[in-house]
Amino acid sequence: MKDYKKLLDNDVKCDCGRVHFVPIKDVDFTFKASNVTDIVKKYISGSELLVVIDYHTDEQINNEILKELEGKGFNLTVVRFTDKKLVPDERAVGAILMHSVRGTDGILAVGSGTINDLARFVGSRMEIPVISIATAPSMDGYAAAGSSLVVKGAKKTLKAVPVTAIYGDVDVIANAPFEMIQAGYGDIIGKKTSLADWALSRVVTGEYWCDDIVKLVEDSTDICIENSKKIAERDIESIKHLIEALVLSGIAMSMADDTRPASGSEHLISHYMVMKNIEKGEMIPSHGITVAFGTLVVSMLYEFLKENEIFKTQDDSRSVIEAVDKYVPTVEQTKEWLEIIGLPVSPEGYGVDEAYLEEMILKAGFIRDRFTIFRYLDKLGILNDAAKYVLAKMF
């Protein structure tokens, strides 16, 4: 994998015509709790430290980190969430702000996706540095500039700023609940369809494109897919590939100043499923696992597109196929990846029936202003036919 540390805290002049800058100063997964004091002192000037954690990782790392920081000259304010499934909404943001003290110098976030989204958002509004200690390979937001939050019941990515530095103990990360490993892997295979959507938009709408960013995402994704079985076995080196790939996705988003390199139609399906669960008052599903399901659905939509006669009559059909074929997986490949990591290959395994799947295909593509396979099928007037095609394959 490319030495991504060269991309950190450095102006990178790119052939795409832009100068990329990722403000993250360090990423290191050889971290141990005994290092935390030195790291905090390096990046946070002052003694008022806000620590955001949740109870799930108390025994694995939280208690050790807090013990290490105590008596080292810090005034610690600890926000400890005890929710079974923490929702990153207005209530959670408010809880952090309510517990923070005037003059807080920095935030230490110890946890996985939700904890980091919340801490990053609060840190951006308080204009203080945030250090992230990753505890699970569950999502690609560790290095992202935006925070994925639930606002008035809708999943939105709000502009924030990347964290100052990212650390993690790979032994702790590898022993995270297996569902979180499945989620991280699901998020990673979703990069295949997100890149296909980006390539599609490049051809159809002339959207900005950067070969270096694409290669960064593609290479790190391919390493994880090559090591799928070892990831499922919690092999340490393979889990390190997974967490690094997730961080690299965030770095790619920072380089593009947009989520486009790592979020396409598969993420729209995931966001739609989250929104529907919130509407029904049900526990929100895991982001990465719903992305995995979205990847399967989208692979079928691309299969339908390439076989469709109306599409074949379009002047740009050959260019579209040439652009997306490099990235989009076949349905068979996607099912194989899901099976290796122990995820269902049928919609019932995700709590999705025929009516819900049809609704999802017809509506998910329009909850955000992003050109994906959904909007292209709609533009051609064949989105309804595509939905029927997927339903026939899945039920």
Side-chain angles (χ1 to χ4, degrees):
M1 193 180 295
K2 182 177 179 179
D3 184 6
Y4 58 88
K5 291 195 176 186
K6 294 178 181 177
L7 302 172
L8 304 180
D9 199 28
N10 185 34
D11 285 329
V12 179
K13 294 181 180 179
C14 186
D15 291 340
C16 73
R18 294 186 181 182
V19 177
H20 303 302
F21 179 74
V22 179
I24 299 167
K25 299 183 184 302
D26 194 18
V27 176
D28 190 349
F29 292 108
T30 64
F31 167 87
K32 296 297 178 184
S34 57
N35 308 139
V36 70
T37 300
D38 291 339
I39 288 169
V40 172
K41 286 182 175 179
K42 182 176 181 180
Y43 294 115
I44 297 176
S45 299
S47 59
E48 290 292 344
L49 183 63
L50 178 61
V51 183
V52 183
I53 58 177
D54 74 32
Y55 80 102
H56 292 100
T57 49
D58 280 350
E59 293 185 7
Q60 290 88 340
I61 197 167
N62 295 349
N63 295 338
E64 192 175 354
I65 283 177
L66 292 175
K67 183 179 179 181
E68 181 66 27
L69 289 170
E70 289 168 356
K72 297 295 176 66
F74 297 109
N75 298 319
L76 299 182
T77 300
V78 180
V79 180
R80 180 178 177 271
F81 288 99
T82 58
D83 309 59
K84 183 177 180 181
K85 181 80 171 181
L86 179 59
V87 179
D89 58 7
E90 299 93 335
R91 181 195 66 84
V93 170
I96 298 174
L97 288 170
M98 288 289 287
H99 285 86
S100 63
V101 301
R102 189 185 298 273
T104 298
D105 295 303
I107 299 175
L108 181 69
V110 186
S112 56
T114 301
I115 289 292
N116 281 273
D117 275 326
L118 290 166
R120 184 169 55 251
F121 178 76
V122 172
S124 72
R125 297 315 188 255
M126 295 176 71
E127 297 184 333
I128 55 177
V130 178
I131 298 171
S132 172
I133 309 295
T135 59
S138 54
M139 56 93 221
D140 64 3
Y142 288 113
S147 285
S148 186
L149 303 178
V150 176
V151 183
K152 295 182 179 179
K155 194 78 177 287
K156 295 184 177 180
T157 299
L158 300 182
K159 281 282 187 180
V161 292
V163 297
T164 302
I166 302 167
Y167 296 95
D169 182 338
V170 72
D171 292 317
V172 171
I173 292 168
N175 283 290
F178 191 62
E179 181 185 352
M180 302 186 90
I181 294 173
Q182 290 175 312
Y185 182 85
D187 209 352
I188 283 298
I189 64 170
K191 306 315 168 199
K192 289 293 189 179
T193 47
S194 67
L195 290 178
D197 280 339
W198 194 10
L200 171 67
S201 185
R202 181 193 187 192
V203 172
V204 177
T205 73
E207 184 176 345
Y208 162 77
W209 176 270
C210 176
D211 286 330
D212 285 357
I213 292 176
V214 169
K215 183 170 175 54
L216 195 67
V217 175
E218 187 180 19
D219 288 353
S220 58
T221 298
D222 287 344
I223 287 176
C224 291
I225 290 172
E226 290 166 11
N227 288 276
S228 296
K229 291 182 180 178
K230 290 184 177 180
I231 288 172
E233 295 166 355
R234 298 181 187 264
D235 172 74
I236 292 293
E237 192 62 29
S238 299
I239 293 294
K240 188 177 179 184
H241 286 319
L242 178 59
I243 188 67
E244 287 184 333
L246 292 164
V247 168
L248 277 166
S249 293
I251 288 173
M253 289 186 277
S254 289
M255 291 172 69
D257 194 27
D258 195 278
T259 60
R260 174 54 105 175
S263 176
S265 44
E266 73 298 321
H267 272 67
L268 293 175
I269 288 176
S270 173
H271 296 326
Y272 193 83
M273 293 176 75
V274 168
M275 289 164 55
K276 296 301 288 187
N277 275 49
I278 291 171
E279 282 179 16
K280 294 184 285 187
E282 297 176 359
M283 185 178 293
I284 62 173
S286 167
H287 168 72
I289 289 176
T290 52
V291 168
F293 175 63
T295 304
L296 178 59
V297 172
V298 174
S299 69
M300 293 182 182
L301 291 176
Y302 271 106
E303 182 179 80
F304 165 82
L305 176 70
K306 288 186 281 187
E307 295 173 359
N308 184 265
E309 294 302 322
I310 293 176
F311 165 67
K312 291 177 182 178
T313 66
Q314 303 302 304
D315 292 339
D316 59 1
S317 60
R318 179 169 294 182
S319 297
V320 166
I321 290 175
E322 289 177 355
V324 303
D325 264 357
K326 184 178 179 182
Y327 308 108
V328 69
T330 65
V331 175
E332 290 71 26
Q333 283 176 320
T334 309
K335 285 183 175 180
E336 180 183 345
W337 299 338
L338 296 180
E339 288 172 339
I340 288 172
I341 205 69
L343 289 174
V345 296
S346 66
E348 293 94 340
Y350 301 89
V352 176
D353 61 20
E354 288 187 60
Y356 185 20
L357 180 57
E358 183 176 24
E359 173 191 332
M360 201 182 296
I361 294 170
L362 296 179
K363 294 183 178 180
F366 306 94
I367 61 174
R368 293 191 179 180
D369 185 17
R370 168 154 294 171
F371 192 87
T372 67
I373 183 68
F374 290 120
R375 288 183 184 266
Y376 188 57
L377 291 168
D378 185 61
K379 177 184 176 183
L380 298 181
I382 55 175
L383 182 57
N384 281 294
D385 291 338
K388 292 174 183 175
Y389 177 87
V390 174
L391 289 171
K393 287 186 74 75
M394 284 198 165
F395 292 97

